[in-house]
Amino acid sequence: MASKEMEKLLERVYKDIDTFDFNGQNVPRIILTDRKFDDIMLRIQGKPISVNTNLNILQDGLGHVFVEILLDFSYGEIHEEFLIYANESIDFFESLAKTTMFALSPPNYSEVNQDKIFMVQLPKPEKAVEAIDIIKNGLSKKADLNK
């Protein structure tokens, strides 16, 4: 990947992610602004919803691994994309592979305020396991190149 392409990808990286304890499990979370979260919830409120989730893995063979998380909601014409730099987010993806779900929430989520969280179950859990394997292979290549 040319340095210009790498710079463009790094500029698009979504950094507001973490993991948190949800009912005793370490669950990955994508943090949305209060406004964006509320907008999504207003559009889907009271509707039976499914979320088609795709994980696209981008790598350069030099150990840089990005994962593009694409979300298409079955109602409300909602499409969200999050590009995550896996090299710096291995905990997020290990947790995703283990739980096969992630959360969308505003920054101030707490277990007391559970209406401010939206859980997404991966429709194809094996994709998260494949993703973590690809990420770890990419990271090991980077470590080998740096020796």
Side-chain angles (χ1 to χ4, degrees), residues 69-101:
I69 300 174
L70 305 172
L71 306 177
D72 285 304
F73 288 69
S74 61
Y75 186 85
E77 297 181 18
I78 302 167
H79 174 81
E80 296 292 333
E81 297 179 12
F82 304 96
L83 182 67
I84 299 173
Y85 187 41
N87 295 53
E88 297 175 350
S89 309
I90 194 74
D91 291 345
F92 180 92
F93 290 103
E94 286 177 333
S95 178
L96 183 64
K98 184 176 180 187
T99 63
T100 69
M101 66 178 165

mmCIF file of all heavy atoms in Angstrom, residues 69-101:
data_model
loop_
_atom_site.group_PDB
_atom_site.id
_atom_site.type_symbol
_atom_site.label_atom_id
_atom_site.label_comp_id
_atom_site.label_asym_id
_atom_site.label_seq_id
_atom_site.Cartn_x
_atom_site.Cartn_y
_atom_site.Cartn_z
ATOM 1 N N ILE A 69 -16.387 -2.031 8.939
ATOM 2 C CA ILE A 69 -17.634 -2.603 9.446
ATOM 3 C C ILE A 69 -18.780 -1.869 8.759
ATOM 4 O O ILE A 69 -18.912 -0.652 8.893
ATOM 5 C CB ILE A 69 -17.740 -2.471 10.977
ATOM 6 C CG1 ILE A 69 -16.576 -3.214 11.651
ATOM 7 C CG2 ILE A 69 -19.081 -3.006 11.474
ATOM 8 C CD1 ILE A 69 -16.512 -3.029 13.155
ATOM 9 N N LEU A 70 -19.568 -2.619 7.995
ATOM 10 C CA LEU A 70 -20.697 -2.052 7.262
ATOM 11 C C LEU A 70 -21.994 -2.531 7.898
ATOM 12 O O LEU A 70 -22.188 -3.735 8.083
ATOM 13 C CB LEU A 70 -20.660 -2.485 5.797
ATOM 14 C CG LEU A 70 -19.367 -2.191 5.041
ATOM 15 C CD1 LEU A 70 -19.398 -2.837 3.665
ATOM 16 C CD2 LEU A 70 -19.157 -0.699 4.923
ATOM 17 N N LEU A 71 -22.873 -1.596 8.221
ATOM 18 C CA LEU A 71 -24.161 -1.917 8.837
ATOM 19 C C LEU A 71 -25.288 -1.431 7.944
ATOM 20 O O LEU A 71 -25.330 -0.247 7.589
ATOM 21 C CB LEU A 71 -24.298 -1.236 10.202
ATOM 22 C CG LEU A 71 -23.187 -1.472 11.216
ATOM 23 C CD1 LEU A 71 -23.464 -0.662 12.477
ATOM 24 C CD2 LEU A 71 -23.057 -2.941 11.539
ATOM 25 N N ASP A 72 -26.181 -2.325 7.590
ATOM 26 C CA ASP A 72 -27.382 -1.974 6.841
ATOM 27 C C ASP A 72 -28.593 -2.426 7.653
ATOM 28 O O ASP A 72 -28.802 -3.626 7.839
ATOM 29 C CB ASP A 72 -27.389 -2.653 5.461
ATOM 30 C CG ASP A 72 -26.436 -1.979 4.500
ATOM 31 O OD1 ASP A 72 -26.589 -0.760 4.298
ATOM 32 O OD2 ASP A 72 -25.535 -2.667 3.983
ATOM 33 N N PHE A 73 -29.351 -1.443 8.143
ATOM 34 C CA PHE A 73 -30.542 -1.740 8.931
ATOM 35 C C PHE A 73 -31.687 -2.083 7.987
ATOM 36 O O PHE A 73 -31.828 -1.477 6.930
ATOM 37 C CB PHE A 73 -30.920 -0.529 9.789
ATOM 38 C CG PHE A 73 -29.989 -0.274 10.935
ATOM 39 C CD1 PHE A 73 -28.687 0.175 10.729
ATOM 40 C CD2 PHE A 73 -30.415 -0.465 12.236
ATOM 41 C CE1 PHE A 73 -27.828 0.420 11.778
ATOM 42 C CE2 PHE A 73 -29.572 -0.220 13.306
ATOM 43 C CZ PHE A 73 -28.275 0.221 13.080
ATOM 44 N N SER A 74 -32.514 -3.030 8.400
ATOM 45 C CA SER A 74 -33.611 -3.478 7.540
ATOM 46 C C SER A 74 -34.747 -2.466 7.470
ATOM 47 O O SER A 74 -35.643 -2.587 6.648
ATOM 48 C CB SER A 74 -34.154 -4.825 8.031
ATOM 49 O OG SER A 74 -34.663 -4.703 9.348
ATOM 50 N N TYR A 75 -34.720 -1.458 8.304
ATOM 51 C CA TYR A 75 -35.766 -0.442 8.310
ATOM 52 C C TYR A 75 -35.104 0.921 8.535
ATOM 53 O O TYR A 75 -34.106 1.035 9.226
ATOM 54 C CB TYR A 75 -36.782 -0.719 9.431
ATOM 55 C CG TYR A 75 -37.957 0.199 9.398
ATOM 56 C CD1 TYR A 75 -39.052 -0.064 8.586
ATOM 57 C CD2 TYR A 75 -37.968 1.369 10.143
ATOM 58 C CE1 TYR A 75 -40.134 0.805 8.525
ATOM 59 C CE2 TYR A 75 -39.041 2.245 10.089
ATOM 60 C CZ TYR A 75 -40.120 1.953 9.282
ATOM 61 O OH TYR A 75 -41.176 2.822 9.220
ATOM 62 N N GLY A 76 -35.668 1.957 7.978
ATOM 63 C CA GLY A 76 -35.210 3.319 8.226
ATOM 64 C C GLY A 76 -34.130 3.809 7.293
ATOM 65 O O GLY A 76 -33.599 4.897 7.485
ATOM 66 N N GLU A 77 -33.813 3.012 6.277
ATOM 67 C CA GLU A 77 -32.787 3.398 5.303
ATOM 68 C C GLU A 77 -31.503 3.860 5.985
ATOM 69 O O GLU A 77 -30.921 4.892 5.640
ATOM 70 C CB GLU A 77 -33.320 4.477 4.362
ATOM 71 C CG GLU A 77 -34.483 3.994 3.521
ATOM 72 C CD GLU A 77 -35.008 5.048 2.566
ATOM 73 O OE1 GLU A 77 -34.290 6.035 2.298
ATOM 74 O OE2 GLU A 77 -36.131 4.864 2.082
ATOM 75 N N ILE A 78 -31.046 3.074 6.940
ATOM 76 C CA ILE A 78 -29.846 3.418 7.696
ATOM 77 C C ILE A 78 -28.686 2.554 7.201
ATOM 78 O O ILE A 78 -28.775 1.329 7.188
ATOM 79 C CB ILE A 78 -30.054 3.192 9.206
ATOM 80 C CG1 ILE A 78 -31.243 4.031 9.705
ATOM 81 C CG2 ILE A 78 -28.783 3.531 9.977
ATOM 82 C CD1 ILE A 78 -31.725 3.647 11.080
ATOM 83 N N HIS A 79 -27.612 3.226 6.801
ATOM 84 C CA HIS A 79 -26.385 2.564 6.382
ATOM 85 C C HIS A 79 -25.233 3.262 7.096
ATOM 86 O O HIS A 79 -25.093 4.485 7.000
ATOM 87 C CB HIS A 79 -26.202 2.659 4.858
ATOM 88 C CG HIS A 79 -24.894 2.112 4.391
ATOM 89 N ND1 HIS A 79 -24.677 0.764 4.218
ATOM 90 C CD2 HIS A 79 -23.722 2.730 4.088
ATOM 91 C CE1 HIS A 79 -23.420 0.577 3.818
ATOM 92 N NE2 HIS A 79 -22.841 1.756 3.731
ATOM 93 N N GLU A 80 -24.453 2.509 7.839
ATOM 94 C CA GLU A 80 -23.321 3.079 8.562
ATOM 95 C C GLU A 80 -22.051 2.321 8.190
ATOM 96 O O GLU A 80 -22.090 1.104 7.980
ATOM 97 C CB GLU A 80 -23.536 2.987 10.085
ATOM 98 C CG GLU A 80 -24.705 3.798 10.601
ATOM 99 C CD GLU A 80 -24.493 5.294 10.496
ATOM 100 O OE1 GLU A 80 -23.331 5.754 10.519
ATOM 101 O OE2 GLU A 80 -25.494 6.021 10.390
ATOM 102 N N GLU A 81 -20.943 3.041 8.122
ATOM 103 C CA GLU A 81 -19.637 2.453 7.834
ATOM 104 C C GLU A 81 -18.633 2.949 8.871
ATOM 105 O O GLU A 81 -18.578 4.146 9.156
ATOM 106 C CB GLU A 81 -19.147 2.863 6.450
ATOM 107 C CG GLU A 81 -20.008 2.378 5.319
ATOM 108 C CD GLU A 81 -19.506 2.818 3.950
ATOM 109 O OE1 GLU A 81 -18.355 3.307 3.856
ATOM 110 O OE2 GLU A 81 -20.269 2.682 2.984
ATOM 111 N N PHE A 82 -17.862 2.004 9.389
ATOM 112 C CA PHE A 82 -16.828 2.341 10.364
ATOM 113 C C PHE A 82 -15.540 1.655 9.932
ATOM 114 O O PHE A 82 -15.500 0.425 9.836
ATOM 115 C CB PHE A 82 -17.218 1.866 11.767
ATOM 116 C CG PHE A 82 -18.538 2.395 12.232
ATOM 117 C CD1 PHE A 82 -19.693 1.637 12.091
ATOM 118 C CD2 PHE A 82 -18.643 3.655 12.799
ATOM 119 C CE1 PHE A 82 -20.920 2.122 12.511
ATOM 120 C CE2 PHE A 82 -19.865 4.152 13.221
ATOM 121 C CZ PHE A 82 -21.006 3.381 13.076
ATOM 122 N N LEU A 83 -14.494 2.420 9.665
ATOM 123 C CA LEU A 83 -13.202 1.861 9.313
ATOM 124 C C LEU A 83 -12.346 1.855 10.572
ATOM 125 O O LEU A 83 -12.131 2.901 11.184
ATOM 126 C CB LEU A 83 -12.520 2.687 8.213
ATOM 127 C CG LEU A 83 -11.174 2.149 7.743
ATOM 128 C CD1 LEU A 83 -11.350 0.811 7.010
ATOM 129 C CD2 LEU A 83 -10.476 3.161 6.841
ATOM 130 N N ILE A 84 -11.875 0.680 10.955
ATOM 131 C CA ILE A 84 -11.108 0.545 12.187
ATOM 132 C C ILE A 84 -9.718 0.017 11.851
ATOM 133 O O ILE A 84 -9.581 -0.938 11.074
ATOM 134 C CB ILE A 84 -11.839 -0.391 13.167
ATOM 135 C CG1 ILE A 84 -13.215 0.218 13.493
ATOM 136 C CG2 ILE A 84 -11.016 -0.591 14.439
ATOM 137 C CD1 ILE A 84 -14.118 -0.653 14.301
ATOM 138 N N TYR A 85 -8.713 0.634 12.422
ATOM 139 C CA TYR A 85 -7.329 0.200 12.230
ATOM 140 C C TYR A 85 -7.075 -0.930 13.222
ATOM 141 O O TYR A 85 -6.891 -0.703 14.414
ATOM 142 C CB TYR A 85 -6.388 1.377 12.452
ATOM 143 C CG TYR A 85 -4.937 1.103 12.134
ATOM 144 C CD1 TYR A 85 -4.568 0.361 11.017
ATOM 145 C CD2 TYR A 85 -3.926 1.612 12.931
ATOM 146 C CE1 TYR A 85 -3.246 0.128 10.710
ATOM 147 C CE2 TYR A 85 -2.594 1.389 12.632
ATOM 148 C CZ TYR A 85 -2.263 0.643 11.525
ATOM 149 O OH TYR A 85 -0.933 0.410 11.224
ATOM 150 N N ALA A 86 -7.097 -2.145 12.720
ATOM 151 C CA ALA A 86 -7.031 -3.329 13.578
ATOM 152 C C ALA A 86 -5.711 -3.418 14.338
ATOM 153 O O ALA A 86 -5.679 -3.965 15.451
ATOM 154 C CB ALA A 86 -7.252 -4.591 12.752
ATOM 155 N N ASN A 87 -4.634 -2.887 13.782
ATOM 156 C CA ASN A 87 -3.349 -2.931 14.467
ATOM 157 C C ASN A 87 -3.428 -2.316 15.862
ATOM 158 O O ASN A 87 -2.724 -2.739 16.769
ATOM 159 C CB ASN A 87 -2.282 -2.179 13.662
ATOM 160 C CG ASN A 87 -1.989 -2.829 12.337
ATOM 161 O OD1 ASN A 87 -2.899 -3.083 11.556
ATOM 162 N ND2 ASN A 87 -0.721 -3.083 12.053
ATOM 163 N N GLU A 88 -4.273 -1.316 16.007
ATOM 164 C CA GLU A 88 -4.396 -0.613 17.291
ATOM 165 C C GLU A 88 -5.650 -1.023 18.056
ATOM 166 O O GLU A 88 -5.940 -0.451 19.104
ATOM 167 C CB GLU A 88 -4.419 0.896 17.052
ATOM 168 C CG GLU A 88 -3.135 1.411 16.442
ATOM 169 C CD GLU A 88 -3.197 2.890 16.079
ATOM 170 O OE1 GLU A 88 -4.295 3.484 16.111
ATOM 171 O OE2 GLU A 88 -2.128 3.438 15.749
ATOM 172 N N SER A 89 -6.391 -1.999 17.545
ATOM 173 C CA SER A 89 -7.687 -2.341 18.150
ATOM 174 C C SER A 89 -7.862 -3.848 18.305
ATOM 175 O O SER A 89 -8.967 -4.359 18.180
ATOM 176 C CB SER A 89 -8.814 -1.791 17.272
ATOM 177 O OG SER A 89 -8.608 -0.441 16.982
ATOM 178 N N ILE A 90 -6.790 -4.545 18.596
ATOM 179 C CA ILE A 90 -6.855 -6.007 18.657
ATOM 180 C C ILE A 90 -7.838 -6.478 19.729
ATOM 181 O O ILE A 90 -8.564 -7.454 19.524
ATOM 182 C CB ILE A 90 -5.444 -6.628 18.822
ATOM 183 C CG1 ILE A 90 -5.469 -8.128 18.537
ATOM 184 C CG2 ILE A 90 -4.848 -6.330 20.176
ATOM 185 C CD1 ILE A 90 -5.593 -8.472 17.099
ATOM 186 N N ASP A 91 -7.913 -5.786 20.873
ATOM 187 C CA ASP A 91 -8.856 -6.184 21.936
ATOM 188 C C ASP A 91 -10.297 -6.140 21.435
ATOM 189 O O ASP A 91 -11.105 -7.003 21.769
ATOM 190 C CB ASP A 91 -8.722 -5.270 23.162
ATOM 191 C CG ASP A 91 -7.410 -5.459 23.893
ATOM 192 O OD1 ASP A 91 -6.717 -6.475 23.634
ATOM 193 O OD2 ASP A 91 -7.066 -4.591 24.711
ATOM 194 N N PHE A 92 -10.609 -5.114 20.658
ATOM 195 C CA PHE A 92 -11.954 -4.968 20.100
ATOM 196 C C PHE A 92 -12.310 -6.202 19.269
ATOM 197 O O PHE A 92 -13.376 -6.790 19.425
ATOM 198 C CB PHE A 92 -12.001 -3.690 19.241
ATOM 199 C CG PHE A 92 -13.332 -3.416 18.600
ATOM 200 C CD1 PHE A 92 -14.267 -2.620 19.240
ATOM 201 C CD2 PHE A 92 -13.653 -3.932 17.346
ATOM 202 C CE1 PHE A 92 -15.498 -2.337 18.652
ATOM 203 C CE2 PHE A 92 -14.871 -3.665 16.748
ATOM 204 C CZ PHE A 92 -15.806 -2.868 17.411
ATOM 205 N N PHE A 93 -11.399 -6.611 18.396
ATOM 206 C CA PHE A 93 -11.688 -7.725 17.489
ATOM 207 C C PHE A 93 -11.627 -9.089 18.184
ATOM 208 O O PHE A 93 -12.379 -9.990 17.833
ATOM 209 C CB PHE A 93 -10.791 -7.661 16.257
ATOM 210 C CG PHE A 93 -11.152 -6.512 15.381
ATOM 211 C CD1 PHE A 93 -10.389 -5.354 15.371
ATOM 212 C CD2 PHE A 93 -12.303 -6.546 14.603
ATOM 213 C CE1 PHE A 93 -10.748 -4.268 14.585
ATOM 214 C CE2 PHE A 93 -12.678 -5.464 13.819
ATOM 215 C CZ PHE A 93 -11.895 -4.325 13.811
ATOM 216 N N GLU A 94 -10.765 -9.231 19.183
ATOM 217 C CA GLU A 94 -10.761 -10.478 19.960
ATOM 218 C C GLU A 94 -12.085 -10.638 20.700
ATOM 219 O O GLU A 94 -12.669 -11.720 20.731
ATOM 220 C CB GLU A 94 -9.584 -10.506 20.933
ATOM 221 C CG GLU A 94 -8.267 -10.749 20.250
ATOM 222 C CD GLU A 94 -7.077 -10.717 21.186
ATOM 223 O OE1 GLU A 94 -7.128 -10.037 22.236
ATOM 224 O OE2 GLU A 94 -6.077 -11.361 20.853
ATOM 225 N N SER A 95 -12.573 -9.544 21.256
ATOM 226 C CA SER A 95 -13.863 -9.569 21.941
ATOM 227 C C SER A 95 -15.000 -9.846 20.962
ATOM 228 O O SER A 95 -15.928 -10.607 21.265
ATOM 229 C CB SER A 95 -14.075 -8.225 22.658
ATOM 230 O OG SER A 95 -15.324 -8.185 23.282
ATOM 231 N N LEU A 96 -14.928 -9.260 19.770
ATOM 232 C CA LEU A 96 -15.942 -9.487 18.746
ATOM 233 C C LEU A 96 -15.973 -10.964 18.336
ATOM 234 O O LEU A 96 -17.046 -11.555 18.194
ATOM 235 C CB LEU A 96 -15.673 -8.599 17.532
ATOM 236 C CG LEU A 96 -16.693 -8.666 16.396
ATOM 237 C CD1 LEU A 96 -18.058 -8.167 16.855
ATOM 238 C CD2 LEU A 96 -16.203 -7.840 15.207
ATOM 239 N N ALA A 97 -14.806 -11.561 18.168
ATOM 240 C CA ALA A 97 -14.738 -12.976 17.786
ATOM 241 C C ALA A 97 -15.293 -13.872 18.895
ATOM 242 O O ALA A 97 -15.946 -14.883 18.622
ATOM 243 C CB ALA A 97 -13.297 -13.367 17.464
ATOM 244 N N LYS A 98 -15.074 -13.466 20.139
ATOM 245 C CA LYS A 98 -15.537 -14.279 21.272
ATOM 246 C C LYS A 98 -17.045 -14.150 21.493
ATOM 247 O O LYS A 98 -17.739 -15.129 21.695
ATOM 248 C CB LYS A 98 -14.785 -13.882 22.538
ATOM 249 C CG LYS A 98 -15.123 -14.730 23.732
ATOM 250 C CD LYS A 98 -14.290 -14.352 24.931
ATOM 251 C CE LYS A 98 -14.660 -15.230 26.105
ATOM 252 N NZ LYS A 98 -14.007 -14.796 27.328
ATOM 253 N N THR A 99 -17.563 -12.921 21.438
ATOM 254 C CA THR A 99 -18.981 -12.690 21.758
ATOM 255 C C THR A 99 -19.880 -12.742 20.536
ATOM 256 O O THR A 99 -21.076 -12.925 20.659
ATOM 257 C CB THR A 99 -19.185 -11.318 22.427
ATOM 258 O OG1 THR A 99 -18.816 -10.283 21.516
ATOM 259 C CG2 THR A 99 -18.387 -11.205 23.709
ATOM 260 N N THR A 100 -19.330 -12.528 19.357
ATOM 261 C CA THR A 100 -20.039 -12.427 18.071
ATOM 262 C C THR A 100 -21.152 -11.374 18.097
ATOM 263 O O THR A 100 -22.149 -11.493 17.407
ATOM 264 C CB THR A 100 -20.584 -13.788 17.571
ATOM 265 O OG1 THR A 100 -21.643 -14.225 18.422
ATOM 266 C CG2 THR A 100 -19.485 -14.818 17.484
ATOM 267 N N MET A 101 -20.933 -10.361 18.915
ATOM 268 C CA MET A 101 -21.857 -9.228 18.948
ATOM 269 C C MET A 101 -21.078 -7.987 19.348
ATOM 270 O O MET A 101 -19.975 -8.062 19.860
ATOM 271 C CB MET A 101 -23.006 -9.475 19.922
ATOM 272 C CG MET A 101 -22.616 -9.547 21.358
ATOM 273 S SD MET A 101 -24.071 -9.784 22.401
ATOM 274 C CE MET A 101 -23.287 -10.285 23.910
#
